[in-house]
Amino acid sequence: MRSQTHRVGSALLHPTARGPRVIWFAAVVGLALTALGFILRAAPIDAPAVEAFNRMHIGAWGWTAVAIYLALEPISAAFLTLLVLITIAAVLRSVRTAVVFGGIVALTWLPTAAIKAIVNRPRPDVLTLAHPFTPAQTDGSFPSGHTAFVAALTIAFWLLLRGTRGAPIALIIGSASTVTVGLAVVSDGLHYPTDVLASIAWAIAMAPTARWVMVDVIAPRLGGFRKSS
């Protein structure tokens, strides 16, 4: 058990030395997604899918979908991340690992707010929905910040556990959670399916850059934290 715990986080902290490559990849994907967002803003081809999913927003699933959305609002998501970081630091006895983990989540998740503001795709039309969400959300819908957060958390956990028996489990649970959140926000009538898919694509593209920034750029300059801490 001690050897297994000792291995957790070792792959996460291993330098990558692939900065330019991953930065360019994230930049290209980000520009492509932004362009796609403008196209979808002008032609919301997946609006019928939102209406279909929203009709299923009843009973236990309806309450669950609303709860998922409210539980992953930005402040709640930040608090959840903080709890995860405290747990990682306590269990692994490594503040450095917790800081790198948190940085990967933040740098992957938070830029979606900038894309959302630039594209400013309107939310699905509440007049076409059988079960509109209240209160109405007035910010842009593309991409989904809720989905991006869970996807970022999934990737960070996979990186943390990579090389251990827990890595496939983290990937399976995280992927299922990401899909569930995506279905919830579409069923709530707050996002289009393309918002969800764009968030997942962004998280996959941005996470390597976030890891490079945290591991290769920031972590070596954390003079207050020993490498072994």
Side-chain angles (χ1 to χ4, degrees), residues 102-116:
I104 291 174
V105 173
L107 292 176
T108 301
W109 167 40
L110 296 179
T112 58
I115 299 175
K116 180 178 292 192

Side-chain angles (χ1 to χ4, degrees), residues 43-211:
I45 58 175
D46 49 346
V50 180
E51 296 168 19
F53 276 102
N54 185 252
R55 284 194 292 269
M56 297 183 288
H57 194 270
I58 56 176
W61 168 245
W63 287 104
T64 300
V66 171
I68 288 174
Y69 186 84
L70 296 177
L72 295 178
E73 285 280 70
I75 294 178
S76 301
F79 183 70
L80 173 61
T81 304
L82 179 60
L83 291 180
V84 171
L85 301 189
I86 293 173
T87 302
I88 290 173
V91 172
L92 300 183
R93 298 180 181 178
S94 173
V95 176
R96 179 183 291 267
T97 302
V99 170
V100 169
F101 181 98
I104 291 174
V105 173
L107 292 176
T108 301
W109 167 40
L110 296 179
T112 58
I115 299 175
K116 180 178 292 192
I118 292 171
V119 174
N120 197 27
R121 183 187 191 185
R123 300 275 185 172
D125 187 355
V126 296
L127 297 179
T128 66
L129 302 178
H131 308 284
F133 188 91
T134 54
Q137 304 298 294
T138 58
D139 59 331
S141 73
F142 183 95
S144 164
H146 286 61
T147 309
F149 169 71
V150 179
L153 204 59
T154 296
I155 295 171
F157 267 116
W158 178 76
L159 291 170
L160 177 71
L161 298 171
R162 190 170 55 170
T164 74
R165 291 189 295 271
I169 298 174
L171 191 59
I172 292 171
I173 294 176
S175 298
S177 299
T178 302
V179 170
T180 301
V181 171
L183 290 174
V185 297
V186 174
S187 176
D188 285 334
L190 295 174
H191 283 287
Y192 298 91
T194 46
D195 298 340
V196 171
L197 295 176
S199 296
I200 296 172
W202 169 254
I204 293 173
M206 183 59 192
T209 294
R211 179 175 178 270

